[in-house]
């Protein structure tokens, strides 16, 4: 005989349908519900009896429960029921509710009324008793437009234990931080801060935070969430848009180490959507640029996102992009170049380009999905890239905002030059992403200085020959007698065949350039050479000699220049358009000049 005591049954605690926050407030969880697919709710006429109608919709039941359909008219503050039916439902997804039978026998619309009746669908979960009572209420109206009768869903609300939350779409059943008027914790800073963003909807090992960070009219959404407990960024694409090929998925997997491609993690599918899971990013490029504000106290443009407030996207003059912004833009272009190699044309909406933290600071990453429309080419992609650059450089404006854009870009000639090329009306003249990487817009101070020195070395022999020819013409060998007159345009054109030299000397705005250079620096360099202060070629030679003979300069001159590394900054502050002016003047001569063809 077995004398051991019978095992004591373990009481199973029902699952709490409310997510509780540290502030003591709760919000209904998205799981454990019966969800009506709002876009599937339809009311149809019985083909045999035109006065009879039946209702149909699709629903997912995470657990068993009951669905009640109520059609009514509002009479003052009361509901006048026209039709009501309840039906028990079993657990399962993709189920179809159809009430046919005798149908609903009444005239749906009264003459002259567009919305005669209202509809409520109550999806009730009672599996675990009253404690876990969850109700989804779908509110709709029956409308008639152009002789067609249809149902328009106006609202969906989730209620649990007195807590309520208004739905927005996420996989057919997502939830918004917006709440109804009776919500007792509406606006609580703890409920809605970064650590507690609101309802989290689970899809297998994937959990999406309710509020999308990107919403597009075609139904595409991007969310923050978690996958296998790791923070991720998730893109949801409706299946009706077609599948992304396995080849593209493989390219994304192989691109995971590229510093400017959002790292691909996994793909998750449901009945209606495909979810592409990526590494977690901090924010979109659109959010970063849109947060910029002008701080009147410091007279600087600052980033409004707390984790990025230390970033300086513009130089102290508030006109030129900083090294940080240039790095972000170059990273975007390098991501596009990588995709170009594999025949992928990414969507260049700034909401779909993300900012991530990296060991070296921050970096911009291009999202692999949301591919541009079929037939899109890298030429069209260049046009969109011009929009993107303009948006970033002008802190939120686009090329068609003519006056504002022109006002801002006139201080950044390199940016204006590049955007004009990208937006060229002739598609064949637009640069590719690879060519954009080498554009003067992305040249650093070192390359600016190298360019000036090479141009000067290229034209200086022609300048010397011009001097000699002028002296011979005037039969006078005393250089000082010329005092600068020897480079007047009409004389220069008569004594040289150099197209490069002539192109440079046509540049305007550089007469009396000595007035912008500190006198100590002028006195220092004039010990070794005479400079014509009306000649742009001599200005280039002056800068070149500052660099090549820096060690022999006086200490005062070195201090003015701020070291060899500061030399380019010094002259760009004095002549901000010089490099761009010279570049444009010589652009057609680079290929034929060995010393300059590396800049084309």
């Amino acid at each position: 005989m077995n004398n051991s005591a019978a095992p004591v049954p373990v009481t199973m605690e029902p699952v709490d349908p409310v997510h509780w926050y540290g502030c003591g407030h709760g919000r209904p969880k998205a799981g454990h519900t019966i969800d009506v697919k709002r876009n599937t709710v339809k009311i149809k006429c019985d083909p045999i009896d035109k006065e009879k109608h039946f209702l149909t919709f699709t629903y997912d039941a995470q657990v068993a429960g009951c669905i009640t359909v109520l059609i009514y008219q509002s009479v003052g503050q009361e509901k006048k029921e026209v039709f009501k039916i309840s039906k028990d439902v079993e657990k399962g997804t993709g189920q179809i509710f159809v009430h046919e039978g005798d149908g609903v026998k009444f005239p749906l619309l009264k003459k002259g009324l567009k919305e005669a009746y209202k509809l409520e669908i109550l999806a009730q979960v009672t599996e675990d008793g009253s404690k876990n009572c969850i109700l989804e209420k779908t509110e709709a109206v029956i409308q008639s437009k152009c002789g067609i009768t249809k149902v328009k869903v106006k609202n969906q609300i989730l209620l649990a234990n007195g807590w309520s939350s208004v739905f927005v779409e996420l996989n057919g059943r997502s939830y918004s931080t917006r709440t109804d008027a009776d919500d007792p914790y509406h606006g609580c800073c703890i409920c809605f801060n970064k650590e507690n963003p609101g309802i989290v909807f689970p899809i297998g090992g994937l959990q999406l935070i309710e509020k999308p960070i990107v919403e597009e009219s075609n139904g595409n959404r991007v969310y923050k969430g978690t996958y296998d407990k790791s923070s991720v960024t998730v893109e949801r694409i409706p299946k009706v848009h077609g599948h992304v090929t396995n080849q593209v998925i493989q390219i994304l997997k192989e691109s995971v180490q590229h510093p400017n491609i959002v790292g691909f993690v996994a793909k998750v599918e449901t009945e209606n959507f495909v979810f592409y899971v990526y590494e977690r990013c901090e924010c979109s490029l659109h959010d970063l640029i849109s947060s910029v504000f002008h701080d009147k106290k410091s007279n600087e443009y600052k980033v409004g996102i707390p984790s990025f407030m230390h970033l300086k996207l513009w130089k102290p003059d508030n006109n030129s992009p900083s090294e940080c912004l240039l790095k972000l833009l170059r990273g975007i272009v390098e991501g596009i170049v990588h995709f170009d190699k594999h025949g992928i044309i990414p969507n260049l909406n700034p909401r779909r380009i993300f900012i991530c933290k990296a060991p070296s600071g921050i970096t911009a990453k291009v999202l692999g999905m949301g591919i541009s429309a079929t037939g899109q080419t890298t030429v069209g992609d260049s046009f969109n890239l011009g929009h993107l650059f303009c948006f970033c450089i002008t802190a939120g404006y686009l090329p068609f905002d003519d006056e504002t854009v022109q006002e801002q870009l006139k201080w950044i000639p390199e940016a204006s030059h590049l955007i004009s090329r990208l937006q060229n009306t002739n598609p064949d003249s637009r640069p590719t992403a690879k060519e954009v990487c080498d554009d003067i817009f992305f040249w650093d101070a070192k390359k600016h200085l190298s360019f000036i020195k090479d141009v000067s070395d290229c034209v200086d022999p022609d300048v010397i020959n011009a001097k000699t020819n002028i002296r011979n013409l005037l039969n006078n060998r005393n250089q000082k007698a010329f005092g600068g007159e020897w480079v007047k345009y009409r004389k220069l054109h008569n004594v040289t065949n150099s197209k490069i030299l002539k192109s440079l000397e046509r540049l305007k705005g550089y007469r009396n350039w000595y007035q912008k250079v500190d006198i100590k620096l002028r006195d220092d360099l004039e010990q070794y050479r005479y400079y014509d202060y009306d000649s742009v070629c001599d200005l280039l030679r002056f800068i070149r000699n500052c660099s090549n003979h820096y060690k022999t300069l006086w200490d005062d001159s070195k201090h003015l220049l701020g070291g060899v590394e500061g030399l380019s900054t010094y002259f760009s502050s004095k002549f901000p358009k010089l490099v761009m002016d010279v570049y444009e003047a010589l652009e057609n001569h680079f290929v034929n000049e060995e010393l300059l063809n590396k800049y084309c």
Side-chain angles (χ1 to χ4, degrees):
M1 184 176 184
N2 189 349
N3 294 323
S4 60
V8 178
V10 178
T11 302
M12 299 296 293
E13 289 293 329
V15 177
D16 191 344
V18 178
H19 177 75
W20 296 97
Y21 296 108
C23 55
H25 293 143
R27 181 171 288 282
K29 289 181 180 176
H32 309 92
T33 65
I34 299 174
D35 174 55
V36 174
K37 306 287 187 180
R38 60 187 297 164
N39 295 329
T40 67
V41 181
K42 296 179 181 178
I43 195 160
K44 298 182 179 180
C45 180
D46 190 310
I48 299 175
D49 186 346
K50 299 299 182 183
E51 290 190 354
K52 293 182 180 179
H53 302 80
F54 59 90
L55 187 74
T56 177
F57 54 84
T58 303
Y59 65 92
D60 290 341
Q62 304 297 320
V63 292
C66 174
I67 291 180
T68 299
V69 176
L70 172 66
I71 298 177
Y72 65 93
Q73 286 180 296
S74 295
V75 181
Q77 299 295 321
E78 299 181 358
K79 294 180 180 179
K80 182 180 178 181
E81 290 186 10
V82 176
F83 174 81
K84 183 177 181 180
I85 185 173
S86 294
K87 177 182 178 181
D88 292 332
V89 297
E90 300 296 326
K91 180 179 179 180
T93 59
Q95 300 184 72
I96 300 176
F97 183 101
V98 180
H99 175 70
E100 296 184 54
D102 295 332
V104 185
K105 192 169 184 178
F106 65 94
L108 275 180
L109 299 172
K110 291 185 177 181
K111 189 175 181 180
L113 294 179
K114 292 183 178 179
E115 296 183 1
Y117 297 100
K118 295 184 179 181
L119 168 69
E120 280 187 3
I121 303 173
L122 306 178
Q124 187 89 27
V125 175
T126 55
E127 184 180 70
D128 295 317
S130 60
K131 182 176 181 181
N132 263 15
C133 180
I134 301 177
L135 174 70
E136 178 193 286
K137 181 167 68 173
T138 303
E139 299 176 339
V141 294
I142 300 172
Q143 297 179 321
S144 179
K145 189 174 182 180
C146 301
I148 300 174
T149 299
K150 62 180 181 179
V151 175
K152 181 178 180 181
V153 176
K154 289 196 168 183
N155 212 1
Q156 282 188 302
I157 302 172
L158 183 69
L159 302 101
N161 298 341
W163 309 110
S164 59
S165 181
V166 179
F167 282 24
V168 291
E169 185 192 7
L170 169 64
N171 192 28
R173 50 186 180 135
S174 68
Y175 314 95
S176 169
T177 52
R178 293 175 297 151
T179 57
D180 62 7
D182 298 324
D183 190 338
Y185 54 88
H186 178 66
C188 173
C189 61
I190 297 180
C191 291
F192 302 116
N193 65 16
K194 280 190 173 182
E195 287 69 32
N196 299 301
I199 294 174
V200 175
F201 179 72
I203 307 171
L206 177 65
Q207 289 192 326
L208 304 183
I209 295 173
E210 54 170 313
K211 188 176 181 181
I213 54 178
V214 176
E215 294 185 78
E216 296 179 351
S217 58
N218 59 5
N220 289 10
R221 302 285 187 273
V222 179
Y223 300 90
K224 289 184 178 181
T226 60
Y227 182 74
D228 290 340
K229 299 182 179 180
S230 297
S231 296
V232 292
T233 300
V234 183
E235 179 167 25
R236 187 205 74 176
I237 299 179
K239 284 187 175 179
V240 294
H241 293 173
H243 287 284
V244 175
T245 65
N246 291 332
Q247 182 182 3
V248 173
I249 296 293
Q250 186 59 35
I251 292 171
L252 293 176
K253 290 179 178 179
E254 294 172 356
S255 303
V256 70
Q257 297 301 324
H258 193 286
N260 301 112
I261 306 295
V262 182
F264 181 80
V265 176
K267 181 176 82 169
V268 178
E269 292 190 50
T270 62
E271 180 184 358
N272 299 314
F273 300 99
V274 181
F275 297 84
Y276 296 97
V277 185
Y278 299 91
E279 65 176 305
R280 183 62 168 265
C281 301
E282 299 301 319
C283 67
S284 71
L285 179 66
H286 179 274
D287 292 339
L288 181 73
I289 299 299
S290 299
S291 74
V292 172
F293 67 97
H294 183 247
D295 184 0
K296 294 183 179 179
K297 190 173 182 179
S298 61
N299 192 32
E300 291 182 348
Y301 285 94
K302 295 184 177 180
V303 177
I305 298 176
S307 57
F308 292 135
M309 291 187 74
H310 64 285
L311 295 181
K312 303 293 184 184
L313 299 183
W314 283 268
K315 292 179 180 178
D317 61 7
N318 288 331
N319 291 318
S320 306
S322 69
E323 292 299 320
C324 178
L325 182 54
L326 289 174
K327 176 187 175 185
L328 291 178
L329 295 176
R330 185 179 181 88
I332 294 169
V333 179
E334 290 179 349
I336 298 170
V337 170
H338 176 80
F339 278 137
D340 279 352
K341 293 177 182 177
H342 299 283
I344 296 177
I345 309 297
N347 188 326
L348 294 183
N349 185 325
R351 297 179 185 275
R352 305 180 62 85
I353 294 172
F354 292 91
I355 307 300
C356 300
K357 290 183 178 179
S360 58
I362 64 168
T363 185
K365 298 195 175 191
V366 181
L367 194 64
M369 293 301 167
I371 312 298
S372 295
T374 303
Q376 180 77 9
T377 64
T378 53
V379 171
D381 193 45
S382 295
F383 188 85
N384 294 330
L385 186 60
H387 276 67
L388 182 70
F389 272 38
C390 187
F391 174 80
C392 294
I393 294 166
T394 63
Y397 290 95
L398 292 173
F400 45 77
D401 300 316
D402 291 334
E403 293 184 5
T404 305
V405 169
Q406 289 176 9
E407 177 64 25
Q408 294 200 35
L409 291 184
K410 74 178 184 180
W411 301 104
I412 320 171
E414 292 85 356
S416 181
H417 177 264
L418 175 57
I419 292 172
S420 297
R421 292 179 66 207
L422 290 168
Q423 306 266 285
N424 195 305
T425 54
N426 179 7
D428 294 334
S429 298
R430 297 173 192 160
T432 64
K434 180 64 175 68
E435 290 169 338
V436 171
C437 281
D438 299 325
D439 190 84
I440 186 174
F441 177 71
F442 288 115
W443 289 5
D444 56 17
K446 185 177 180 180
K447 191 164 184 178
H448 278 185
L449 186 58
S450 173
F451 176 68
I452 288 175
K453 291 164 65 175
D454 285 345
V455 171
S456 179
D457 288 341
C458 180
V459 299
D460 198 56
D462 292 323
V463 173
I464 294 172
N465 290 336
K467 294 179 190 178
T468 303
N469 290 336
I470 290 173
R471 285 200 302 268
N472 292 337
L473 284 172
L474 299 179
N475 195 23
N476 189 330
R477 297 185 179 278
N478 183 0
Q479 286 192 26
K480 292 184 180 180
F482 294 101
E485 292 297 319
W486 48 266
V487 287
K488 292 298 183 184
Y489 299 128
R490 61 183 182 84
K491 292 184 180 179
L492 186 65
H493 285 196
N494 290 332
V495 298
T496 180
N497 293 319
S498 171
K499 294 181 179 180
I500 292 181
L501 185 56
K502 290 178 180 179
S503 296
L504 286 176
E505 289 299 341
R506 290 192 193 103
L507 291 177
K508 297 180 180 180
Y510 296 97
R511 291 181 63 85
N512 299 321
W513 57 260
Y514 73 94
Q515 295 178 354
K516 295 183 180 181
V517 178
D518 289 274
I519 189 169
K520 291 182 180 179
L521 191 59
R522 298 202 317 259
D523 291 344
D524 194 348
L525 269 74
E526 282 180 341
Q527 296 179 90
Y528 312 104
R529 172 181 171 142
Y530 168 79
Y531 295 94
D532 175 14
Y533 292 122
D534 285 337
S535 167
V536 71
C537 291
D538 274 31
L539 171 58
L540 298 179
R541 201 63 182 177
F542 186 90
I543 298 172
R544 179 260 190 198
N545 289 341
C546 282
S547 174
N548 283 12
H549 306 297
Y550 180 81
K551 291 182 179 179
T552 64
L553 295 180
W554 298 333
D555 289 342
D556 286 347
S557 296
K558 292 179 180 178
H559 179 74
L560 283 171
L561 296 174
V564 178
E565 61 280 356
L567 194 148
S568 180
T569 302
Y570 174 85
F571 284 104
S572 64
S573 67
K574 305 293 183 181
F575 308 97
K577 297 183 179 181
L578 176 63
V579 175
M580 192 68 244
D581 284 347
V582 172
Y583 183 89
E584 288 185 311
L586 303 186
E587 203 166 3
N588 296 326
H589 304 300
F590 289 159
V591 176
N592 299 323
E593 195 65 43
E594 184 177 353
L595 193 61
L596 301 179
N597 59 23
K598 61 185 176 185
Y599 298 104
C600 62

